[in-house]
Amino acid sequence: MIDETGRDDAVGAQAVDQDLRGLLRRATADAHHRLDSGWAGHDLKDRDAYGAFLVAMAAALVPLEADLALAEPGALPPDWPARRRGAALLADLAALGHPGPPAPAPAMPRPPTRPEAAGLLYVLEGSRLGGQLLLRQALASADAAVRDNTRFLRHGEGQRLWSSFAAWLAERPAGHADGAVTGALRAFALFETAQGARP
């Protein structure tokens, strides 16, 4: 479900291995694998399964976006407002007859630091990338209610948001590494909790 593609061809493998993106990929590999395994066999062509998937996503994504909205000025990419997908996700749920996640996930005890914000965004933007694969499954549904309510999975289509995020991430200071890993692991933990609680 959450996907992070490999290196850009123009960058050497050794350089990628040393940058923040490579560090985050390695630090979250186990959590990423657990999350993907949890969705294995989940047929998004089925309306109930698709609705359960969206509810689980909303239970993590909506509070994560709310946390990021509290981050200090300059902690997020300039186009952050256009990257938010919570409204699209809730619109899909409403159209399918779901009120949304059953209860909000606990918020951070304080606004995320700049490094933590980078880690949270790494997971959210990776989930957008993975959503491109899931969109194909939803669009193959025989149920028009599934096919017609893919605002969340389509969000940012054609805008090259991953590559612009990767460029922004590459500009973060080296000292952001530990905090970014903390933020990314927290985001994965929220997605895993939401996945386990899905109907």
Side-chain angles (χ1 to χ4, degrees), residues 101-186:
M108 295 187 81
R110 50 169 173 67
T113 64
R114 287 182 179 229
E116 287 168 345
L120 295 174
L121 278 169
Y122 170 80
V123 177
L124 290 180
E125 289 302 317
S127 75
R128 182 199 307 280
L129 207 59
Q132 295 172 8
L133 303 174
L134 300 180
L135 176 62
R136 297 187 198 120
Q137 192 179 146
L139 292 178
S141 175
D143 190 333
V146 173
R147 297 193 308 272
D148 294 345
N149 292 290
T150 55
R151 300 166 190 81
F152 170 64
L153 292 176
R154 288 179 182 275
H155 191 276
E157 217 170 25
Q159 295 182 43
R160 301 179 60 83
L161 291 175
W162 175 256
S163 58
S164 61
F165 169 72
W168 176 86
L169 188 65
E171 295 172 353
R172 299 311 93 199
H176 280 197
D178 289 346
V181 168
T182 297
L185 290 174
R186 176 179 182 272

Side-chain angles (χ1 to χ4, degrees), residues 62-73 76 80 84 111-112 117 120 124:
V62 170
L64 284 171
E65 287 192 344
D67 284 348
L68 282 167
L70 299 175
E72 63 182 282
L76 305 174
W80 160 243
R84 296 186 69 160
L120 295 174
L124 290 180

Side-chain angles (χ1 to χ4, degrees), residues 30-32 34-35 60 185 187-197:
D30 289 344
H32 189 166
R34 287 192 304 270
L35 198 61
L185 290 174
F188 268 110
L190 284 181
F191 278 109
E192 286 189 76
T193 298
Q195 183 185 67

